[in-house]
Amino acid sequence: MSNDLSRRSFLQLGAVAAGALAVGQMLPPAVAQAAQDAGMVNTRGDGFIPSMCEMCVWRCGLIAKVRNGRVVKLDGNPEHPHSKGHLCVRGQSGLYNTYDPDRVLSPLIRVGRRGEGRFRKATWEEALDLTASNMLAIKQQYGPEAMVFSSTHNLSQVQFENLLYAYGSPNYGTQRSLCFNAMIVANLMTYGMEEPERIYDEQLEYIILTGRNLMEAVSTSETGDLSDAIARGAHVVYLDPRFTKTAAKASEWLPIRPGTDLAFHLALLNVIISENLYDRAFVERYTLGFEQLAEQVQSYTPEWAAPITEISADTIRRIARDFAAAAPHALAHNGWRTSNFVNSFQTQRAISVLNALVGNWNVTMRASAGESSGTLGTIPQPPYPRSSAQRLDRVPSRFPVVPLKLGVFQELRDNIITGQPYQAHGWFISRQNPVMSLPDRSKTLQAFEKMDFIATVDIIVNDTAWFSDVILPEASYLERYDPLLPVGDRVYIRQPVIEPQGEAKSALWIYKQLGERLGLGDYFQYEDEEDYIRQQLAPLGATLEEIRSRGYVDLPAHEESEETELAWNTPSGKIELYSDTLARVGFSGLPVWEEPPAPPAGQFYLLTGKVAQATQFGTQNNQMLHKYADEPRLWLNEGVAADRGLVDGDWVEVSSEVGTGHIRLLVTPAIRPDCVYLTPGYGHLSRGLTTAFGVGASDSALHVTYTDPVSGSQALTQTFVTVRKV
Ligand SMILES: Nc1nc2c(c(=O)[nH]1)N[C@H]1C(S)=C(S)[C@@H](COP(=O)(O)OP(=O)(O)OC[C@H]3O[C@@H](n4cnc5c(=O)[nH]c(N)nc54)[C@H](O)[C@@H]3O)O[C@H]1N2
Ligand SMILES: Nc1nc2c(c(=O)[nH]1)N[C@H]1C(S)=C(S)[C@@H](COP(=O)(O)OP(=O)(O)OC[C@H]3O[C@@H](n4cnc5c(=O)[nH]c(N)nc54)[C@H](O)[C@@H]3O)O[C@H]1N2
Ligand code: SF4
Ligand SMILES: [Mo]
């Protein structure tokens, strides 16, 4: 895809499409209502049906246009706060996932060797019985802890968790330690909350983005908010060793040396404190540990940081002063995938502390209203059995400040291999592709070899399903119900806009069926998906029909609380610049410089980072996205390429200490000379992905496993590689 088209596509096409519908067919703003009035909504036939996207975790509101029982178009729903009428390019292409010729449309049972990819079709009865009998045998022989469960953020995850807690296993692997553990744990330690909400209002003047590539790693509403802020003249400082599309939109791009964002932010703290630029009243009233912080950052001058970060002391000092001058209308963005180096937790702490110093609380940051399900009805269930076994990832004994629900997935995988502190025997995986998303792919395959049984719930034979014993086909997000999603003062529905193809079933159905076969039926007290949603809606007095036709119903208005004294859910009730919780378990209570490792001479930092036309490791087989995606290549700085006699398009071998890949070069000025960048998500192992197989190389095969000792996040930029022409 040309840069030109990709830039245009993900926001503007959505806006144009929604606008065209508004004029032509009286859809927005009261889309569903107008469509219903016009007799166009028929939730199981032709018409325009409101639902939610699931091409990534952002869950934008969509309107599906259905003709003759087929989805023909997907547009953004203006009545949903996550989309505000827009779908990104992945969202608009979502129907190609649903109509992927490689969809798994009946349960499959492996017949060949693992990894050979030979499966036979089975009935649901047989596949579920086989899965349940293996899970029961493992439980009986080795205890429930011998069964690993893993899944990535999705709406039915609540019932996935129900299944695993009812079964009694403590071993839950999620994407979080590969994604945002550093950010979440830092915010918990500083503010007592996972991720404060960011406010992009008219007055926002100054934004520092640390590797948050919002123009490509898209969250439609926030990407739009940033674009609007830029259009209004906000100053954006963007730190990234790579010139991304966000760099192109920013006021200034600072190609920082990887792993040294911590030094940059420590120096900002130094200037803001030493020059008295912080918000004294806010700091005195609402924070804890300022004196210790001031002493701690005394030596972290811009002159100290300059050679480390390769950003001049003048630039650092200017940014510190301008940021503080703009405050409180200033925001240092934590980022999202903050798993880069073993010092990423400290980087995140420094960013969180920086925001607190300039007093931007309730101006550019606030407590997240969250997606609370508090007012929805719950499904009755008995209490969970107690699990006495320790977790394989040794949370919390080895990772005392990592919340159990985050876990440390790569550590869990490594301890499946070592068999310490005990051996796991089974793995149940849903909506996740750990063969691709965990670092050091050969280790993940080694862990699979230790398994007596692996089952995967997916819509295609992804790389993980390829190595599984049973594949349970889920209905796609356009074919099924999921539990409701409350956002703000409404609750939104994902509903089937077409009938499931083949024999695909919703996760709500699959987990209930398995639960019953495992003797855990009491934990799944819903007749079917519609009954599940009716139980959720009961306290609201809303009907299923109502929410299906409008796409949402209102939550009861809660009384505006009186202005109260600010308080944070930390042990002290204040924003903790100094954290005693950290100090008590042997970590630094203050942000502290930790030198990250650097590549030896002749090697490069291996960067990863999202592209606008793909989500993680699950959309590369989408035929539409495939058609317009850039060919994945290895970016190499043009000066370095010239020195080595390499030219654009050359095939190279890229190798780390754990893996090797072959890929064509993109020779570009848009990357630091000491870095290479490889598009993630390619180099698939599954031949069941006929569109994606054979394209690109896998960075996961190259990534070495390094874990941040505080937050447990995987250090994805800490892999060093050699590049040679082949
Ligand atoms: N299109 C699209 N959008 C997505 C996703 C997707 O897969 N596709 N995934 C969603 C998810 S789950 C997430 S977590 C977010 C992730 O969104 P982001 O947090 O923006 O993360 P990435 O795109 O993974 O990486 C961002 C940048 O970090 C840079 N980088 C690498 N190492 C360093 C370093 O040491 N310092 C600095 N300053 N920069 C560094 C990389 O060059 C890259 O450009 O995107 C979300 N949105
Ligand atoms: N090298 C490298 N590694 C990374 C990252 C990186 O940038 N580079 N990013 C990290 C980040 S930020 C994250 S969040 C993780 C993400 O990695 P994972 O947590 O593994 O998630 P995905 O790759 O999105 O895998 C989603 C799976 O769900 C399947 N799927 C799609 N729709 C459905 C459905 O309706 N039902 C079911 N049951 N399955 C469905 C897809 O086919 C795919 O197999 O990866 C991390 N690992
Ligand atoms: S950001 Fe794009 S892919 Fe993600 S939910 Fe929204 S439209 Fe779908
Ligand atoms: Mo992520």
Side-chain angles (χ1 to χ4, degrees), residues 353-367:
V353 162
L354 173 64
N355 281 312
L357 282 194
V358 296
N360 61 6
W361 196 259
N362 279 348
V363 181
T364 61
M365 282 169 71
R366 67 177 160 225

Side-chain angles (χ1 to χ4, degrees), residues 211-213 216 218 240 242 259 261 337 610-611 614 616 717:
R212 179 67 184 100
N213 184 13
E216 292 173 275
V218 174
D240 196 316
R242 215 161 53 92
D261 307 88
R337 185 190 60 76
K610 319 293 185 215
V611 287
Q616 331 284 23
T717 307

